[in-house]
Amino acid sequence: MISFEHVSKRYDDGTQAVTDFSLTIASHSLTALVGSSGSGKTTLLRCINRMVEPTSGRILWDGVDIAEANPVHLRRQMGYVMQQSGLLPHRKVIDNVATVLRLTGVDRTAAYRRAREVLNTVGLEPALEQRYPAQLSGGQAQRVGVARALAADPKVLLMDEPFGAVDPIVRRELQREIARLHAELHKTIIFVTHDIDEAFALADQIVILKTGGVIAQVGSPAEILANPADDFVRQFLGLHHGERQLRTEQHGDHTVVLTASGRVAGVLT
Ligand code: ADP
Ligand code: MG
């Protein structure tokens, strides 16, 4: 379990990126942080692996204050996937993945064996292992990014708009892949997106953020939909002016909530 306790972050130039943020993230859950650009999503994510230090408040991981953890050790247990895959351009795909493991002291043979295994896990064709990142499509590069984050078998996966730069069809494919990995690997995943549809498709818990990293609402997709906290949330959900991105269908006694792409986001009772 990861708990934020009254976390605030004010950058040196005075920007208040996060304001009194408290949240509990259950182990093995997938939490989506959703908000428009500048709402503090990346800052919050980076507080978890100590790439950003909060100005006040604290973050506990299984009861231990992460401020007391060794940052390098902490980051090894937390895979990180960025919007741009962040792959080393002068290294082949397989080397990009194996390198992370080599850095943690894994021997060469084991590192390459594990790299192949994890590339297979994310569904990358073996033929692509010998390519350089520039020779991959956006979607393929993001798969490699996910493989690299999973290589050291971290307990936690931090994903910062990982599919923001890929086209909608590939994006949907990658979302399905993440849902499958989440179901199979039982990682705790914290997923940042500005796409509410993506959040509804993937998350157990959704956190909707306003400017300044202020929480507008926290809940399961079904809870938020059934009971939007205020006009801001309603607006965010696209429930205004009939331009709803989410819709409901009646099936017997159950109201099923569907995303714009037709996936089930939740069931209201
Ligand atoms: P998001 O990921 O939701 O777009 P960020 O966490 O990146 O939001 O940024 C939140 C706010 O903090 C924004 O106003 C941004 O300009 C500001 N910010 C982010 N990083 C820094 C930094 N290193 N120094 C100063 N301000 C920053
Ligand atoms: Mg960001």
Side-chain angles (χ1 to χ4, degrees), residues 4-7 18-23 33 44 207 209 213 215:
F4 284 79
E5 294 185 347
H6 303 289
V7 170
V18 173
T19 312
D20 194 23
F21 182 93
S22 295
L23 178 74
L33 304 177
L44 282 164
V207 182
L209 292 164
I215 293 179

Side-chain angles (χ1 to χ4, degrees), residues 16 38 48 59 65 82 94-95 103 139 152 160 184 192 216 256 258:
Q16 188 74 37
I48 300 173
I59 299 168
D65 189 341
M82 293 170 284
I94 188 83
D95 300 324
L103 289 173
D160 195 350
E184 285 175 10
V192 161
V256 179
L258 300 160

Side-chain angles (χ1 to χ4, degrees), residues 11 13 15-17 35-44 160-161 192:
Y11 286 106
D13 67 357
T15 305
Q16 188 74 37
S36 41
S37 177
S39 56
K41 305 181 298 294
T42 295
T43 300
L44 282 164
D160 195 350
E161 310 215 31
V192 161

